[in-house]
Amino acid sequence: MISWDRVNELKEEIGEEDFAEVAEMFLEEVDEVIERLRTKPEPDQYEQDLHFLKSSSLNLGFQALSKLCGEGERLAAEGKSDAVQLAPVFETYSASKEAFTAR
């Protein structure tokens, strides 16, 4: 679910203090996009939203979330926004966030 190797690599690259700031900013920004997708989904924005989630997640080691978002982004880019499944994205983010913050 989470690449702890990536998390540790990022901590080494930017330092522990900056990592805490990056992680906090990541969670805030992703929470906003997830909440918008939950409450006011706009299929014509799926490609952009899922790309943002994919890239951000990959950077912080949320591998499972990044993979799901990449699949949804691809579908949206192909004009198949109606086939994008958001519930697994929400569930995976929630589980990943819980695992990340617990550690």
Side-chain angles (χ1 to χ4, degrees), residues 54-100:
K54 175 190 77 174
S55 300
S56 298
S57 298
L58 189 60
N59 189 44
L60 203 59
F62 284 46
Q63 284 184 322
L65 179 61
S66 182
K67 183 179 179 195
L68 280 173
C69 292
E71 292 167 4
E73 177 189 13
R74 179 186 54 78
L75 288 170
E78 294 172 357
K80 301 176 184 173
S81 294
D82 58 328
V84 173
Q85 299 294 313
L86 294 177
V89 171
F90 303 152
E91 293 163 9
T92 302
Y93 175 61
S94 179
S96 297
K97 182 179 175 181
E98 185 176 320
F100 183 79

